[in-house]
């Protein structure tokens, strides 16, 4: 069974139709990259799946459970949305770290707040909090930031900040990790360190959806590629199919443009 | 004489300080609530609150003091007259007829709190709206509730941003307390002025400036200290 199933997502902003019926599925452990020119709807698609935008049409299921159905008139409560959102982790283009907290606190803040909802929280408070700290330190070690636990975001480079935000997203053990152009705000020399981290996550079989402009990287790390154009999926398949032998004219034109730039 | 004046001014300054601290204590939380009103998605509430802020910021505090102090009493008397002469009657008129003048100091604090809460609310609104949407979104995708996002993520950043305009407003408040004498609450300037009449002395009036300067100086240092304390992170 697919871990994520997205069916017929529609989304419009005012008069502009950004998504015009997007459907795809992915399996556990898979890495899926979404490519496409600016304005093709990649980011909006990601934001519709994790409830940062509300899709106008379509159904989204995780592990076979429908978490969103636009045609279902029974209103979703904020608590429902919150619960569904916890299926996903999100890494933003602009990091969005919390500036007033240090690196470790950035990673542990959400798990500690969530732990308070645990009925056993008061009985085992110390153990639960210690476990969260331990897990956070482990994650920060995995992204190579063990030395920076006490630093504040403003003291870190962009690449380091983005690595913290990856650790932060992993701290809640999401089923699927989303990346929204994780390297677009970074200098080329810092891009490499992020790609390295994502690659190591792929090796650990973490299910990921990556919206990116890094074609070479996408080809290298992904199991599957989706090419979006003008609000629809123009082409999808393995990297070998989509990037090396594109069939769609728009895909060809896009890849040509990119390779010229590089 | 100097000692006598100093002590008398100190007495007046106590009232000044009380007005200051009580206004701050109530106007800060009320300002936050009003700022939520002015950002409310329900149009009716939003425009009601915005109109209220416009009226309060658009009229002098001196006038507001007079209205709050004399207004209820005037309405009460008018309603009693109206009932007596048979022009009007009913439960509402009965209720209005029961209105009477507030206790002086209470009226003063009420007017000051409403006035300053409106100014503070605009500072809060500016601070809250300046926090990038990404901060809210980051909290949201991490499964935080709206309340958690506000108190755990946004608020501290707002505090850092609003300290300079807040310190401005709070220092203005120190000097606005001198309006209290309009409704005969005896603050420091009143105490100094009485020496003109009784002793023909002008200098006690100038002397009050020392109190104001010292107090504002302490506040300036305090705000500088807070700013420094929050310097460990950048927004």
């Amino acid at each position: 069974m697919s871990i994520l199933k997205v069916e017929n997502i529609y989304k419009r902003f005012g008069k502009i139709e950004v998504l015009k019926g997007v459907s795809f599925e992915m399996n556990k452990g898979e890495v899926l990259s979404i490519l496409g020119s600016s304005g093709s709807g990649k980011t909006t698609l990601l934001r519709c799946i994790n409830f940062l935008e509300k899709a106008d049409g379509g159904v989204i299921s995780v592990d076979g459970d429908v978490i969103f159905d636009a045609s279902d008139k029974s209103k979703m409560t904020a608590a429902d949305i919150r619960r569904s959102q916890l299926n996903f982790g999100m890494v933003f283009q602009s990091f969005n770290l919390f500036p007033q907290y240090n690196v470790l606190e950035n990673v542990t803040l959400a798990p500690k707040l969530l732990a308070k909802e645990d009925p056993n929280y008061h009985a085992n408070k110390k153990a639960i909090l210690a476990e969260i700290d331990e897990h956070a330190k482990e994650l920060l070690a995995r992204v190579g930031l063990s030395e920076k636990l006490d630093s504040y975001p403003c003291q870190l480079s962009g690449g380091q900040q983005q690595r913290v935000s990856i650790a932060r997203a992993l701290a809640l053990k999401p089923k699927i990790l989303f990346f929204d152009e994780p390297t677009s705000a970074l200098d080329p020399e810092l891009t490499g360190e992020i790609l390295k981290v994502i690659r190591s996550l792929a090796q650990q079989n973490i299910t990921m959806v990556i919206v990116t402009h890094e074609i070479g990287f996408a080809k290298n790390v992904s199991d599957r590629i989706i090419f979006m154009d003008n609000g629809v999926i123009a082409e999808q398949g393995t990297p070998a199919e989509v990037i090396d032998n594109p069939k769609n004219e728009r895909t060809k034109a896009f890849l040509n443009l990119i390779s010229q730039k590089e | 004489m100097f000692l006598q004046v100093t002590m008398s001014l100190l007495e007046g300054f106590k009232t000044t300080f009380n007005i200051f601290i009580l206004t701050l204590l109530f106007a800060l939380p009320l300002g936050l609530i009003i700022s939520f009103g002015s950002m409310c998605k329900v149009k009716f509430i939003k425009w009601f609150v915005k109109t209220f802020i416009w009226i309060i910021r658009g009229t002098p505090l001196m006038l507001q003091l007079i209205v709050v102090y004399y207004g209820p009493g005037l309405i009460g008397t008018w309603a009693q007259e109206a009932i007596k002469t048979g022009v009007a009657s009913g439960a509402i008129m009965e209720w209005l007829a029961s209105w009477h003048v507030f206790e002086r100091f209470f009226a003063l604090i009420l007017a000051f709190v409403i006035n300053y809460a409106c100014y503070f609310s605009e500072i809060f609104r500016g601070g809250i709206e300046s926090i990038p949407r990404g901060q809210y979104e980051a909290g949201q995708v991490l499964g935080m509730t709206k309340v958690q996002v506000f108190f755990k993520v946004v608020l501290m950043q707002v505090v850092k941003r609003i300290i300079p305009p807040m310190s401005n407003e709070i220092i203005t408040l120190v000097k606005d307390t001198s309006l209290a004498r309009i409704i005969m609450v005896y603050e420091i300037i009143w105490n100094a002025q009485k020496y003109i009449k009784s002793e023909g002395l002008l200098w006690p009036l100038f002397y009050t400036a020392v109190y104001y300067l010292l107090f504002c100086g302490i506040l300036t240092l305090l705000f500088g200290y807070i700013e420094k304390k929050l310097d460990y992170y950048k927004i």
Side-chain angles (χ1 to χ4, degrees), chain A residues 47 82 97 99-101 152, chain B residues 135 137 143 152-153 232-233:
Chain A
R47 292 172 61 87
R82 232 185 108 217
L97 292 182
Q100 73 270 41
Y101 295 117
Y152 286 88
Chain B
Q135 290 290 312
E137 291 184 346
K152 297 286 178 182
V153 175
Y232 70 90
Y233 67 91

Side-chain angles (χ1 to χ4, degrees), chain B residues 49 60 65 82 84 93 99 105 129 164 199 204 231:
Chain B
V49 171
L65 277 168
K84 219 188 280 171
M93 287 305 281
W99 282 23
F105 194 72
E129 287 181 346
E199 316 273 343
D231 216 25

Side-chain angles (χ1 to χ4, degrees), chain A residues 47 50-52 82 85-86 88 90 92 96-101 109-110 113-114 152 154 168 172, chain B residues 133-135 137-145 148 151-157 232-235:
Chain A
R47 292 172 61 87
N50 70 9
F51 296 89
L52 288 177
R82 232 185 108 217
Q85 261 175 336
L86 287 171
F88 311 118
M90 177 84 170
F92 295 91
N96 295 343
L97 292 182
F98 307 133
Q100 73 270 41
Y101 295 117
L109 178 67
L113 289 173
L114 206 62
Y152 286 88
C154 62
R168 182 176 71 170
L172 289 169
Chain B
R133 205 165 59 135
Q135 290 290 312
E137 291 184 346
Q140 202 189 330
V141 296
L142 288 167
M144 293 185 206
T145 62
Q148 287 173 337
F151 284 103
K152 297 286 178 182
V153 175
V154 174
L155 190 61
M156 273 303 278
Q157 298 178 45
Y232 70 90
Y233 67 91
K234 293 197 174 55
I235 299 172

